[in-house]
Structures are given as C-alpha cells and as structure tokens.
Amino acid sequence: MSTIQLQIVSPDKVVYEADIAMLIVRSTGGELGILPKHAPLVTGLVPHAMRVKMPEGDEQLIAVAGGFMEVTPEKISVLASAAEQPIDIDINRAKQAYARAKDRIEKFHQGPPASEDIDFARAELALHRAIARLQATKTEVE
Ligand code: ATP
C-alpha cells in the first residue's frame, strides 16, 4: 500500500511522525482528505481532532489547536500552535477550558459591548481547542 509521511510539530517538540495511508484535517477552507501523491498545498488549520488512517487500517486521533499544513506528494508537515496525542491530553483540564469558554460565550450572548468582539473570538477559539481535545480522547462534550 502506498503511504505518505506525516510530521506534526508544535513549538517545543515533534508531536507525531509516521508513514500513514491518509490524513483528514479541518482547514480554514473546510475538510480535506490527504492521500499519498497529493498535489502541493499550503493551508491554515482550525482547532480540531485530526484523523490519521494507518496503513494497517486503524485510525488515530490527534488534537490540533491551529496552525499550518504544507503538503507535497511525499510528505505532510503540520506546524501547530499546540498538538497532542490522546495519551498526553489532560481530560479534566480540557473539560475546565470548555466550561470557561462556554461561560464567556454565554455572557456575550446576554449583551456584549461592541468593543469586545476580539474577546468573543478568543473565547470561541478556546472552546474549539477544548472540543478538539475532548474529541481526540473520545470524551463526550457536556
Ligand atoms: P488551557 O486554558 O487549559 O491552558 P488552551 O487551549 O488555552 O488550554 P493552548 O494555548 O492551546 O491551551 O496550549 C498551551 C499548552 O498547553 C500547549 O503546550 C498544549 O499542548 C498544552 N495543553 C493545553 N490543554 C491541554 C490539555 N487538556 N492536556 C494536555 N496539554 C494541554
């Protein structure tokens, strides 16, 4: 079976490296499936749980907080602001981050001052990072 190299790097380490069959990611332009020999591509990534399909047929999940992905026919390079394999995810911390972000968002919905748009966007991103971590660990959200 043909494979493509995947490397996921965060600011402090190589989080994941393997030869894989397919990667399914959520880019700023929507969901993408990357197979071996994919056309060259550079795109932004939004917070989500990436799906890595292994040559043996099983699937692994990796939480990505956001970043960029570069694809060449032989290699996928992900430069993430943060990324974790499920085993490294602190589920309670992600649940707390989720609850904090939800609280903030609810307060904005009760009547946000116009100048606080940036904080609203920050809360939404934090919410999606927490959801990505909960999904990667197959933890039910709420
Ligand atoms: P928190 O509010 O809990 O800090 P966050 O979404 O603001 O979450 P990030 O800014 O995405 O956190 O990440 C900061 C660092 O903390 C990164 O190194 C990331 O891998 C790590 N990290 C964040 N949340 C978790 C978690 N639930 N489990 C393990 N590592 C985490």
Side-chain angles (χ1 to χ4, degrees), residues 1-6 18-23 34-38 52-57 72-76:
M1 177 189 237
S2 80
T3 58
I4 185 164
Q5 223 186 314
L6 169 63
D19 289 327
I20 66 160
M22 185 182 186
L23 178 70
I34 313 291
L35 290 160
K37 303 190 173 59
H38 195 283
V52 182
K53 299 216 183 253
M54 304 307 291
E56 302 77 25
T72 68
E74 302 80 31
K75 185 172 179 184
I76 306 168

Side-chain angles (χ1 to χ4, degrees), residues 79-115:
L79 186 55
S81 53
E84 303 94 30
Q85 297 201 50
I87 194 163
D88 296 318
I89 293 175
D90 177 338
I91 294 175
N92 280 331
R93 177 174 166 182
K95 282 184 173 170
Q96 283 166 17
Y98 178 86
R100 269 199 315 275
K102 265 261 151 141
D103 252 27
R104 251 176 231 145
I105 288 166
E106 256 155 45
K107 286 200 182 102
F108 279 106
H109 283 141
Q110 287 159 12
S115 62

